Amino acid sequence: MPPCYLALDQGTHASRALLFDADGGCLFHTERPVTLQRLDDHRVQQDGDELLTTLSACLDEAADFSRRRKLQIAAAGLATQRSTTLAWDRVTGRTLSPALSWQDTRAAGEVFELCRPAEAVHKITGLYPSAHFAAGKIRWLLQQVPAVRRALRQSRLALGPLSAYLIHGLLEQQPLQIDDANAARTLLYNLHNRDWDDGLLGKFGIPRDVLPACRPVEHRYGTLTGTNVALTAVSGDQNAALYGAGQPRDDTLYVNLGSGAFVLGLLGTRPLTTSRLLNTLIYSADDQAVCHYAMEGSVNGAGSALEWAREHAGLDTGTPALEAALNCATPALFINAVGGLGSPWWRADLAPHWMEPGGSEQERLAGVLESVLFLVQANIDQLCAMRPFKHIQVSGGLAHLDGLCQRLADLSDLPVQRSRETESTARGIAWLAGGRWTVPMATDADRFAPRYDAVLQARYARFIDVLEHA
């Protein structure tokens, strides 16, 4: 039976399962939508049961396809939203809380207070204090949800990021484990000894025994229920996407434009804790000596900024409207603090708003799109100040906009490449699970060469000046 590799991809808007052949070609793809509840600007959550049941259903469909086609699933990988967090009963597997989305910031005030001085926390975790990370969410669940406190008293409580809940729910052995990559997004994980940090657990009032055990990204986690398939890799979605074309390149910046936007550049085998950016653990293995890191810039408001503009300002954010807005000559300057300012500012005290009153709908929409570009470029500037890069590889939902990709090339003065392969996260986690195919992705990529645009550069300079003096 020819081998194939299963990718389970649980994202903000859908659960998916894909099968890849030994050359990395996609043989099968199924997905089911999931609901995102945006209760207000700070509370964003999902139903953990829905996330698990939809992913299980996708898994069953993929397994059935492999049996009908007489394919052998050699291994499976799981990629999840990073920082989405929930509580569940470790005995029954039943959820005890909503899944607080990575976008949820209801615990913002306490996080910044508990993480003083921020630089000391950064040296331990590679992160700067932010309510987007799991630590504040875990503390909030312990303090605010009666079912969570009751399970704690009964020694039945499990708490942690989404990947740990799905590992527990999908595997026959029901292990209480989490991968290093997702653990490292919690503000509770020590990058240097690759385990929970007792000092930070104490600051947040989190008992160690309610948390899953930390395991490498590449590790035999157990067997998927109803199959004989081993789960051999687990990671965060952005981390996995780096491997969508195989081993990532040192000379390339990787930009993903999804609900949030992320800019990553390879760092090597040691974390660097002297920057305003994040350290991201992208790979670890059972051999403790093997661990790879990237520097990461984080933008909270990308696709979610467009959702905000639709919900709060009634703007049309369909593709035709976005494409037309990218041709607007006079975008209205938008202070994109949707979800709070990420790197390199790390501020939660600004509200999103347009600087100029009035303006047409197209000008305001153009300003939102341009603000995403400007926040991404601010992080590119930080990374390029550390060492030179030759290319940008762009992916994610907003990357389908040619005008946005061209402006990214113009503003960064770097050539931008957009692969026509749209499954970078799923393909990356399948590669990590054991695919390791040597056949590269198709080279028929879209390319955008930089062109000097003085007006765009001037608007970017004004945007940065406003944020620096806000």
Side-chain angles (χ1 to χ4, degrees):
M1 296 172 72
C4 62
Y5 299 89
L6 171 63
L8 299 172
D9 179 7
Q10 204 303 298
T12 303
H13 298 291
S15 294
R16 308 188 307 148
L18 299 91
L19 290 171
F20 294 90
D21 64 22
D23 293 330
C26 187
L27 301 171
F28 174 80
H29 175 187
T30 186
E31 66 179 70
R32 299 203 176 189
V34 295
T35 305
L36 182 71
Q37 299 173 290
R38 197 176 295 277
L39 305 179
D40 55 40
D41 285 348
H42 301 289
R43 297 181 300 154
V44 187
Q45 61 191 43
Q46 295 185 277
D47 182 334
D49 292 323
E50 181 187 34
L51 302 183
L52 177 59
T53 56
T54 52
L55 193 60
S56 295
C58 291
L59 165 61
D60 290 343
E61 290 181 35
D64 182 62
F65 176 88
S66 69
R67 285 190 291 269
R68 287 187 286 105
R69 294 298 179 93
K70 300 189 184 323
L71 298 169
Q72 178 188 5
I73 302 178
L78 169 66
T80 69
Q81 306 170 53
R82 303 181 300 178
S83 298
T84 293
T85 303
L86 71 162
W88 67 100
D89 186 313
R90 68 172 71 205
V91 178
T92 65
R94 184 172 60 88
T95 56
L96 302 172
S97 74
L100 305 188
S101 167
W102 64 269
Q103 301 176 57
D104 190 282
T105 59
R106 69 185 70 184
E110 279 202 318
V111 170
F112 286 92
E113 287 300 317
L114 291 168
C115 287
R116 296 182 187 276
E119 289 71 20
V121 173
H122 184 246
K123 286 180 180 178
I124 296 169
T125 66
L127 307 178
Y128 280 98
S130 170
H132 292 280
F133 301 133
K137 297 177 173 69
I138 292 173
R139 180 178 171 86
W140 188 91
L141 291 171
L142 282 166
Q143 292 181 333
Q144 302 295 329
V145 181
V148 171
R149 297 198 300 273
R150 185 163 54 249
L152 176 63
R153 291 193 298 270
Q154 296 170 348
S155 300
R156 298 167 66 105
L157 178 61
L159 273 164
L162 179 60
S163 69
Y165 168 68
L166 294 177
I167 288 168
H168 187 263
L170 291 171
L171 299 185
E172 288 180 356
Q173 298 84 355
Q174 292 189 304
L176 193 59
Q177 299 178 349
I178 187 171
D179 60 291
D180 284 334
N182 277 294
R185 303 294 288 193
T186 61
L187 274 175
L188 301 170
Y189 178 91
N190 190 310
L191 275 186
H192 308 283
N193 61 25
R194 287 165 51 190
D195 200 356
W196 304 119
D197 185 85
D198 288 326
L200 289 168
L201 292 179
K203 276 181 180 255
F204 280 90
I206 299 170
R208 179 185 272 265
D209 61 6
V210 304
L211 297 175
C214 298
R215 296 289 183 259
V217 169
E218 188 176 321
H219 173 75
R220 192 178 181 91
Y221 287 86
T223 305
L224 292 166
T225 300
T227 76
N228 62 355
V229 178
L231 182 67
T232 58
V234 182
S235 191
D237 47 10
Q238 303 300 326
N239 311 54
L242 275 177
Y243 293 88
Q247 190 66 41
R249 295 168 54 100
D250 288 339
D251 64 356
T252 301
L253 283 171
Y254 294 86
V255 175
N256 185 275
L257 300 169
S259 296
F262 304 91
V263 185
L264 293 102
L266 295 194
L267 188 58
T269 57
R270 292 180 181 276
L272 176 66
T273 54
T274 57
S275 164
R276 294 295 295 172
L277 303 184
L278 305 179
N279 282 244
T280 294
L281 189 153
I282 60 171
Y283 177 78
S284 59
D286 284 322
D287 177 355
Q288 287 292 309
V290 180
C291 193
H292 298 155
Y293 299 90
M295 293 299 295
E296 177 179 338
S298 180
V299 174
N300 297 324
S304 60
L306 293 174
E307 291 178 19
W308 183 94
R310 182 177 63 249
E311 293 172 5
H312 288 76
L315 299 185
D316 176 6
T317 57
T319 296
L322 295 176
E323 290 174 341
L326 285 165
N327 293 317
C328 176
T330 55
L333 186 65
F334 179 66
I335 302 307
N336 185 351
V338 175
L341 283 179
S343 56
W345 295 279
W346 303 113
R347 292 183 57 181
D349 58 343
L350 288 180
H353 63 281
W354 285 272
M355 288 292 291
E356 299 91 353
S360 69
E361 288 194 8
Q362 187 179 84
E363 288 170 334
R364 285 185 289 158
L365 183 60
V368 176
L369 278 170
E370 200 167 74
S371 73
V372 176
L373 171 66
F374 290 165
L375 291 173
V376 166
Q377 182 59 42
N379 285 285
I380 290 174
D381 288 344
Q382 294 277 320
L383 281 156
C384 288
M386 297 163 64
R387 66 181 178 85
F389 292 90
K390 295 181 179 179
H391 314 277
I392 293 175
Q393 178 77 37
V394 67
S395 61
L398 292 182
H400 77 281
L401 296 169
D402 287 358
L404 196 62
C405 293
Q406 183 60 60
R407 281 167 176 73
L408 179 59
D410 297 345
L411 193 58
S412 66
D413 198 32
L414 290 171
V416 170
Q417 178 172 296
R418 179 183 63 198
S419 173
R420 294 175 190 172
E421 168 64 57
T422 59
E423 305 296 352
S424 56
T425 292
R427 199 173 189 272
I429 199 63
W431 189 87
L432 287 166
R436 295 301 201 276
W437 40 76
T438 56
V439 179
M441 283 199 299
T443 56
D444 58 341
D446 299 309
R447 292 176 172 81
F448 303 86
R451 307 170 305 194
Y452 182 70
D453 186 332
V455 175
L456 182 65
Q457 295 285 350
R459 286 203 300 265
Y460 173 59
R462 184 187 173 210
F463 178 87
I464 295 299
D465 184 67
V466 169
L467 287 189
E468 293 292 346
H469 293 90

